Amino acid sequence: MTIRTFWAGLATAAALGLTACATPGAQAPLAQADGAPVLDTRYGPVSGTREGASNSVNVFRGVRYAASTEGRRFQLAADPQSWTETRPATEFGSECPQRPVGEVPVFESWANTVGTSEDCLFLNVWTRGLGDGKKRPIMVWLHGGGYVTGSGSSNGYDGSRLAERGDVVVVTLNHRLNALGYSYLADLTDDPKYADSGNLGSLDIVKALEWVRDHAEEIGGDPDNVTIFGESGGAAKVSTLMAMEDARGLFDRAIAQSGSMSLAGFTPRVATPLAKNLMETAGVSSVEELAAMPIDDFVTAMMKSRTRGAFYRPVVDGRSITRQPYTPDANPVSADIPLLVGTNNNEMRLQGGLGSPENFSLTWDQLPAKLKAFAGDADVAEVIAGMRAAHPDYDASDVFFQVATFRNYRGTALLQAERKSAQSAPVYMYRLDWKTPVEGGRLETPHALDIAFVFDNVARSTSFTGPETTETQRMADLMADAWIAFARSGNPNTPALPQWPTYDPQSRATMIFDIDPQVVDDPDGAERALLQRLLPEGRGL
């Protein structure tokens, strides 16, 4: 998904107010004389704002969890220098450098670009309690945009309503992206400071999770109840973290929304030539020269390289990632972590539709050529015949979008659920079926639609969900409460849902989120059986 968006001395006791939610013996939240909340971090105090319908959510934007990476490109993130004077944390920090992306009309409500800089390792916190002794579930959101674009500051990710309705702590963050976060340079230099360059973006997330653990009490949360969740590229990052020994113990539950494509990362055999090509394109002869390039020149070279600034994944480097996350099976590092995983019904109507409008009106004669990019070595005629038998009411465009959706999203989500269900922790599968009315209804249930509901942010998402209605709020109520329940207990069941069983490859129980939610065993089973048999594993490139 290409949503570009993102996200500061100690006052004396005489100048501070105590909030009503403080409990006996607990550290009371700090507040400035003007009533702004103050968060006392390990590095120094920051002041935020109070937001939400009840004005009870303490919000801190642009909180530094690591030092600037400027001058330390391709190196592990360092701790920030401490400060003593209270810094404002009311504006999002800079986004990490990335290639420009085009505007997507349905994302207009979420747009919140704040500019880019190599000083970009910031996080954002929404919480109803500061040092009040309560142990709220902490939900850490990982943004979309693959491993190449995006930030934690999208209006769609605003955590006020989620924190308010569930009394949970919501955290979003920025981390290094693209060649700055995932260039594998270990085979191109002997300098040990670049040894981890292939996974710096994911290691930045680990550092942010360490910040969350170390500040859980201050932000009113429970360090032993942390859920990582994300959509699209964010879900891929969730899957990657589930394979990282460095992340063990930093989260307790995981939610992967429409992004189970990190079943496997790059190997050095794939990643090294990409890094070498970047150096050649940049006209440098050493990693040191690449690290010293002006950032604008670096981004330009990255976009001209073979990757086009968009072809990056974590690397199985034998250090932070020692084996693939979900290939050939679920990594044992996270065997005890419950997983909630799923997709939207018509994911590719966004990228494959809005990006190429002609795909909304395909003929049967045009379909075979369109499907070749997604079918791999499969017999396209057999794919089409099987889909027409499974869905007699489909036209050629319907077949195209559903095959593309299965190849890029649904198929890998099923594999992740199947492989994870062989471990001890529970797995829950969902599918969102509610259709958005925008674009004349032609998008149906596209990629990223779930974000508005999970965050209970339909009022901030009208360009995507349409006007606020009882229907859109109903969907937000259903999904946000299920996500909160899962974060609280590892079980997404709520009174508003039918009984939601765990997933296994025999029954394939799946919660279908719509106005009237229902559990269906193996939904669209004929399609699943056909495409699992014929299509290659993983995303199309």
Side-chain angles (χ1 to χ4, degrees):
M1 184 180 66
T2 53
I3 307 170
R4 296 193 58 225
T5 53
F6 188 68
W7 334 2
L10 287 169
T12 62
L16 304 177
L18 306 182
T19 69
C21 62
T23 57
Q27 178 185 351
L30 303 177
Q32 292 180 313
D34 62 2
V38 172
L39 174 62
D40 193 13
T41 78
R42 298 289 191 271
Y43 308 109
V46 295
S47 63
T49 58
R50 286 199 178 91
E51 301 176 16
S54 62
N55 203 38
S56 64
V57 180
N58 304 290
V59 184
F60 302 92
R61 296 179 172 90
V63 179
R64 185 181 293 281
Y65 70 86
S68 173
T69 63
E70 188 173 7
R72 301 188 71 256
R73 192 179 296 166
F74 306 134
Q75 299 178 48
L76 288 170
D79 290 340
Q81 291 186 343
S82 298
W83 61 89
T84 55
E85 296 296 322
T86 302
R87 294 182 174 181
T90 57
E91 303 289 340
F92 292 115
S94 297
E95 299 176 356
C96 293
Q98 55 196 269
R99 61 175 293 165
V101 295
E103 297 300 322
V104 182
V106 294
F107 294 156
E108 182 179 351
S109 301
W110 294 346
N112 190 31
T113 301
V114 295
T116 65
S117 167
E118 287 191 86
D119 185 11
C120 62
L121 300 185
F122 300 98
L123 55 77
N124 317 288
V125 179
W126 289 261
T127 179
R128 293 181 65 184
L130 294 173
D132 62 358
K134 291 188 177 181
K135 290 187 177 294
R136 297 170 178 82
I138 302 174
M139 302 179 70
V140 180
W141 174 258
L142 306 180
H143 69 75
Y147 292 97
V148 295
T149 63
S151 76
S153 62
S154 165
N155 283 328
Y157 307 156
D158 186 282
S160 295
R161 288 180 65 85
L162 194 60
E164 196 165 35
R165 80 176 291 147
D167 198 19
V168 296
V169 180
V170 179
V171 177
T172 70
L173 59 97
N174 290 357
H175 62 85
R176 279 173 284 183
L177 299 162
N178 48 65
L180 296 166
Y182 296 96
S183 285
Y184 182 69
L185 304 169
D187 288 345
L188 303 178
T189 176
D190 293 328
D191 194 327
K193 68 174 176 279
Y194 300 126
D196 295 293
S197 61
N199 291 307
L200 290 175
S202 297
L203 290 167
D204 289 345
I205 299 172
V206 170
K207 193 166 185 65
L209 289 170
E210 291 172 342
W211 186 99
V212 169
R213 175 198 63 198
D214 295 342
H215 294 85
E217 180 179 351
E218 286 82 356
I219 61 178
D222 183 353
D224 297 319
N225 189 1
V226 176
T227 296
I228 55 172
F229 68 132
E231 184 272 345
S232 193
K237 295 160 198 172
V238 166
S239 303
T240 297
L241 286 169
M242 296 179 80
M244 296 179 68
E245 187 68 42
D246 289 334
R248 189 196 291 265
L250 295 176
F251 62 93
D252 307 275
R253 321 191 200 291
I255 304 175
Q257 303 168 214
S258 303
S260 300
M261 51 275 208
S262 273
L263 301 180
F266 285 159
T267 63
R269 183 180 62 83
V270 174
T272 299
L274 294 177
K276 187 175 182 180
N277 176 259
L278 174 61
M279 291 176 59
E280 293 170 348
T281 305
V284 300
S285 58
S286 70
V287 171
E288 288 288 355
E289 288 183 76
L290 191 66
M293 284 184 69
I295 188 59
D296 290 345
D297 294 342
F298 180 92
V299 172
T300 297
M302 177 181 70
M303 293 173 61
K304 290 180 178 178
S305 73
R306 282 172 54 193
T307 70
R308 298 294 185 263
F311 188 52
Y312 289 95
R313 293 182 188 173
V315 181
V316 183
D317 61 358
R319 292 172 61 87
S320 54
I321 303 179
T322 58
R323 55 147 283 180
Q324 298 287 6
Y326 278 92
T327 302
D329 55 6
N331 197 307
V333 168
S334 55
D336 61 342
I337 302 295
L339 175 67
L340 173 59
V341 59
T343 64
N344 300 345
N345 200 357
N346 317 109
E347 302 270 1
M348 285 296 289
R349 282 181 175 268
L350 182 70
Q351 305 97 314
L354 287 188
S356 302
E358 70 277 8
N359 288 335
F360 287 114
S361 55
L362 294 176
T363 66
W364 292 110
D365 288 339
Q366 293 170 325
L367 181 60
K370 285 287 185 177
L371 283 182
K372 284 186 182 297
F374 300 95
D377 294 330
D379 183 335
V380 171
E382 186 177 0
V383 171
I384 294 172
M387 286 294 289
R388 296 188 75 170
H391 301 286
D393 57 328
Y394 275 15
D395 62 21
S397 291
D398 293 330
V399 170
F400 169 75
F401 288 127
Q402 290 311 100
V403 172
T405 292
F406 195 94
R407 174 71 196 278
N408 278 12
Y409 297 101
R410 188 71 184 166
T412 50
L414 289 166
L415 284 174
Q416 185 174 29
E418 290 168 6
R419 292 168 183 177
K420 177 64 179 172
S421 67
Q423 297 180 332
S424 59
V427 177
Y428 295 89
M429 172 66 78
Y430 75 90
R431 192 179 77 190
L432 174 61
D433 277 16
W434 184 85
K435 295 179 173 61
T436 178
V438 303
E439 292 284 332
R442 63 180 180 170
L443 296 182
E444 298 190 5
T445 312
H447 192 59
L449 181 64
D450 49 310
I451 294 172
F453 305 136
V454 166
F455 277 89
D456 187 12
N457 274 338
V458 292
R460 296 174 178 268
S461 309
T462 54
S463 63
F464 207 171
T465 62
E468 278 190 273
T469 64
T470 55
E471 277 204 7
T472 59
Q473 190 56 53
R474 163 75 169 168
M475 295 308 304
D477 292 343
L478 290 171
M479 296 193 76
D481 284 347
W483 265 235
I484 290 166
F486 183 80
R488 195 171 299 280
S489 68
N491 185 326
N493 277 283
T494 71
L497 294 173
Q499 183 60 35
W500 188 348
T502 57
Y503 185 89
D504 64 67
Q506 289 72 48
S507 67
R508 300 184 182 275
T510 302
M511 179 63 70
I512 305 297
F513 279 102
D514 209 332
I515 295 301
D516 295 313
Q518 57 181 318
V519 173
V520 176
D521 288 347
D522 197 14
D524 292 328
E527 173 189 304
R528 176 200 56 75
L530 172 80
L531 298 182
Q532 279 192 324
R533 176 171 61 86
L534 295 179
L535 297 187
E537 178 180 316
R539 283 176 67 97
L541 300 177

